[in-house]
Amino acid sequence: MGKRQHQKDKMYITCTEYTNFYGGKKTVIPQANFRRLPFDHCSLSLQPFEYPVCTPDGMVFDLLCIIPWIKKFGTHPTTGEKLDVKSLIKLNYHKNSEGKYHCPVMYSVFTNNSHILAIKSSGNVYSHEAVEQLNIKTKNFKDLLNDEPFTRQDIITLQDPYNVDKFNVSNFFHVKRGLKVPDPDEEKAKSDPSYYLKSTSLELRETLTELYRDYKGDEMLASIMKEPGKKKVDKINAAHYSTGKVSASFTSTAMMPETKHEAAAIDDDQLRYRYVKKKGYVRLHTSKGDLNLELHCEMTSRTCENFIKLCKKGYYDGTKFHRSIRNFMIQGGDPSGTGTGGESYWGKPFKDEFKPNLSHAGRGILSMANSGPNTNKSQFFITFRSCVYLDKKHTVFGRLQQKGRKARRRKRRKGTKQRELSPKGVRVLPRKPTDKELENILTWEPRNGERRIRTASLPPAVARKPKASLALVTSARGRAQAERQEARTSSHIARSLLLKIGPCSHENLTDLLSEFPPECSSGTSQNND
């Protein structure tokens, strides 16, 4: 009958069947980045050694390479641990008639698959088979060549074919860190081109002397071929794309070969403007009145930065509005007053910043004047009416606030071409005050037996059309009346501020505030909620 004749009729599948026939996950052998170092190479220079020495852990080095390393760094080149010169052990390798390293007892040639041992006391190198058969099994711990006694702990394993991880160059400490001891001969050769010339003729010496005296090199070519310094990239300024040097070096013979992709660094200005989320405010003191400007710093950051820095610098002090056209716009910002001058804060024109939600629609739009695409400098203009046809030609970076439109109307009615700014210059509006700060802004002083409001430093939020309803009460009864009045006008109320003051009517509050225009000191601007 035979065995297992009905095995395919079983109600289950084995692991092997699932893996091979039914698409199961197969065992994946990890492909490590392994670079094998031959046994006769120095672990520091990665070149064949001439004067071999080893450390107590069995790593082989060349004496001429390990000594300068220890003097400079004082560490183990492969592990990074501390290492002393006294711990180095001199090795005695033996060669056969063909010049290959072999065991002096078994006469077996050493290869990368041989098991190699060394005796610490004598430094002689043997195969593992010779030491195991003649020393360990017989318990005769004497050197096989000179009968020098040693202990079991004096046996050092230089190469074990079953443990080759110690020969992985990719895991060496000095390879990972890129550490290297400079060769003194190379340093001298860099400074003196004739360093390797042992003997030269008289004619050659005269030619070299003339060459060194007259030839200075092509400085222009050296400046062009010099690679720019790499910018440090971290998590903040790293872009989602690479520098492109790998593909460029693959197709171009003028570039050095590049095999590693690196993330490109985002420009500092572009990265800095990402964190600007608030608006700015500027007040221009002119001979016809004040202009309160609101700047869209969160959308046109570079243009607003140029305007605010020029204001703080005093660049616009004493300048004129050199161009004023009725029902169109008024233009200024040129220190020469001709309309052809002016420079940006950085001394060169900067690019336009067009945004789809910023348009020349409406009156009082603040925009940059230019002479073509990407030629913004210091000149700006304020519109008297909608100029939608200027979109995507001029950068809109602000608008005129309600309080400053009276001065703009006076300029538009006059239609004159030159209006000088007052000597007060340009001031940056302070931030919008909180509810607690509003109580400290309005103070009182007696005047002719009456109490009047004196504004010490009123911010632009109050200088504009008041959104808050200020209720003036003298008692609990008056406070109740004020609350009922606020309930009737709740659509116009943004904030309620109760002040205990003398007799004053609510209707005259706006006229009372208009008698004391706001005075603002310079400072940084903040967003208006």
Side-chain angles (χ1 to χ4, degrees):
M1 293 293 291
K3 296 182 179 179
R4 301 180 181 178
Q5 58 179 344
H6 300 291
Q7 188 171 2
K8 293 185 178 180
D9 297 337
K10 61 184 182 297
M11 302 301 294
Y12 61 91
I13 60 175
T14 62
C15 180
T16 304
E17 292 175 343
Y18 175 72
T19 303
N20 297 330
F21 302 108
Y22 298 98
K25 180 176 176 58
K26 298 182 180 180
T27 304
V28 179
I29 301 175
Q31 299 294 332
N33 186 15
F34 184 80
R35 295 166 55 193
R36 178 69 160 82
L37 181 70
F39 78 95
D40 58 345
H41 282 55
C42 173
S43 299
L44 180 58
S45 63
L46 308 182
Q47 300 294 328
F49 51 71
E50 296 182 2
Y51 306 97
V53 293
C54 74
T55 56
D57 57 352
M59 297 302 297
V60 181
F61 300 97
D62 195 321
L63 183 64
L64 300 180
C65 298
I66 190 62
I67 295 298
W69 172 275
I70 296 177
K71 288 183 178 180
K72 184 175 182 180
F73 299 102
T75 59
H76 198 293
T78 59
T79 62
E81 300 176 356
K82 290 185 178 181
L83 183 65
D84 190 9
V85 178
K86 296 181 180 180
S87 61
L88 297 178
I89 303 169
K90 182 182 178 182
L91 299 179
N92 299 320
Y93 276 90
H94 298 81
K95 292 184 179 181
N96 57 11
S97 59
E98 298 178 357
K100 296 181 180 180
Y101 293 109
H102 72 107
C103 176
V105 177
M106 305 295 295
Y107 297 101
S108 57
V109 179
F110 292 149
T111 63
N112 290 335
N113 298 321
S114 302
H115 199 163
I116 306 174
L117 302 178
I119 307 301
K120 183 178 180 181
S121 57
S122 62
N124 294 327
V125 179
Y126 304 98
S127 64
H128 177 266
E129 183 181 3
V131 176
E132 184 180 15
Q133 296 294 333
L134 301 178
N135 292 117
I136 298 177
K137 286 188 176 182
T138 60
K139 296 182 180 180
N140 180 24
F141 293 99
K142 291 185 178 181
D143 193 280
L144 298 177
L145 293 181
N146 54 16
D147 289 339
E148 183 178 351
F150 64 91
T151 61
R152 183 71 178 266
Q153 289 75 20
D154 292 337
I155 301 176
I156 301 174
T157 302
L158 300 181
Q159 178 177 274
D160 187 359
Y162 299 101
N163 183 19
V164 294
D165 292 338
K166 62 181 292 186
F167 295 99
N168 188 4
V169 179
S170 302
N171 295 333
F172 287 176
F173 176 78
H174 68 94
V175 175
K176 288 183 177 180
R177 302 296 181 89
L179 303 177
K180 184 179 178 182
V181 178
D183 189 2
D185 292 337
E186 294 182 359
E187 297 295 330
K188 293 179 180 179
K190 290 180 180 179
S191 58
D192 186 10
S194 61
Y195 177 76
Y196 290 109
L197 296 178
K198 301 299 182 181
S199 61
T200 57
S201 61
L202 178 61
E203 183 179 0
L204 180 59
R205 287 198 297 269
E206 293 178 353
T207 304
L208 291 177
T209 304
E210 183 180 358
L211 178 63
Y212 296 152
R213 184 180 65 252
D214 299 337
Y215 181 72
K216 298 181 180 179
D218 193 350
E219 298 179 358
M220 183 65 69
L221 181 61
S223 61
I224 295 175
M225 296 300 294
K226 185 178 180 180
E227 294 184 0
K230 291 185 179 180
K231 190 175 181 180
K232 186 177 292 185
V233 180
D234 50 18
K235 295 181 180 180
I236 299 178
N237 66 341
H240 64 278
Y241 51 88
S242 66
T243 56
K245 290 185 177 180
V246 176
S247 59
S249 63
F250 180 74
T251 57
S252 176
T253 58
M255 296 185 62
M256 295 295 294
E258 190 78 21
T259 59
K260 185 179 179 181
H261 284 283
E262 295 181 356
I266 303 176
D267 187 50
D268 292 339
D269 290 339
Q270 184 180 358
L271 182 66
R272 181 164 52 93
Y273 294 148
R274 287 182 179 180
Y275 298 94
V276 180
K277 303 296 182 183
K278 299 182 179 181
K279 294 186 180 295
Y281 295 92
V282 170
R283 171 170 292 174
L284 296 179
H285 298 283
T286 68
S287 58
K288 294 297 182 180
D290 295 343
L291 299 176
N292 296 334
L293 306 177
E294 181 185 56
L295 307 182
H296 306 305
C297 296
E298 76 281 8
M299 289 182 283
T300 57
S301 303
R302 190 172 185 83
T303 307
C304 293
E305 182 186 10
N306 174 71
F307 185 75
I308 292 176
K309 285 187 176 180
L310 289 178
C311 292
K312 290 184 176 181
K313 184 181 177 182
Y315 189 80
Y316 294 126
D317 292 353
T319 59
K320 302 176 182 179
F321 285 94
H322 59 274
R323 187 182 183 193
S324 179
I325 302 176
R326 186 186 295 270
N327 295 327
F328 179 37
M329 62 87 190
I330 183 171
Q331 182 174 336
D334 182 8
S336 63
T338 60
T340 59
E343 291 291 339
S344 67
Y345 179 79
W346 302 280
K348 58 182 180 180
F350 56 92
K351 295 182 179 181
D352 298 320
E353 294 179 298
F354 299 137
K355 300 297 179 180
N357 54 343
L358 295 180
S359 176
H360 294 80
R363 303 167 61 182
I365 301 299
L366 178 62
S367 184
M368 289 296 295
N370 56 40
S371 58
N374 303 324
T375 58
N376 300 293
K377 295 182 180 179
S378 65
Q379 296 189 34
F380 61 91
F381 64 90
I382 304 173
T383 61
F384 291 138
R385 56 186 294 271
S386 296
C387 305
V388 185
Y389 53 87
L390 296 179
D391 292 348
K392 295 186 179 180
K393 296 181 181 179
H394 297 270
T395 301
V396 177
F397 67 99
R399 65 185 181 91
L400 191 65
Q401 292 287 56
Q402 187 71 26
K403 194 69 177 177
R405 293 184 178 179
K406 295 181 180 180
R408 186 197 58 190
R409 292 195 190 100
R410 289 196 292 268
K411 291 181 177 62
R412 179 168 54 86
R413 293 192 191 101
K414 291 290 182 179
T416 55
K417 292 187 177 180
Q418 293 184 354
R419 290 291 181 266
E420 295 184 0
L421 294 176
S422 67
K424 295 181 180 179
V426 182
R427 295 183 180 181
V428 181
L429 291 179
R431 61 179 178 82
K432 181 180 177 181
T434 60
D435 295 339
K436 294 183 179 179
E437 293 175 346
L438 281 173
E439 298 178 2
N440 299 327
I441 291 175
L442 303 178
T443 58
W444 298 91
E445 60 180 1
R447 180 178 178 184
N448 297 330
E450 299 179 357
R451 292 185 176 182
R452 299 173 63 101
I453 297 178
R454 178 174 61 84
T455 57
S457 176
L458 199 60
V462 182
R464 298 192 302 269
K465 185 177 181 180
K467 297 180 180 179
S469 176
L470 305 180
L472 309 178
V473 297
T474 57
S475 62
R477 180 180 178 183
R479 183 177 301 175
Q481 294 177 357
E483 291 178 355
R484 288 194 296 271
Q485 184 177 0
E486 289 179 353
R488 292 192 298 269
T489 61
S490 59
S491 60
H492 301 286
I493 295 178
R495 186 187 298 109
S496 177
L497 179 64
L498 303 181
L499 299 175
K500 294 182 179 181
I501 61 176
C504 183
S505 61
H506 179 70
E507 291 77 12
N508 296 331
L509 179 61
T510 304
D511 298 334
L512 188 62
L513 291 175
S514 63
E515 294 178 6
F516 298 87
E519 295 292 335
C520 299
S521 60
S522 60
T524 55
S525 60
Q526 298 290 340
N527 185 21
N528 192 10
D529 297 336

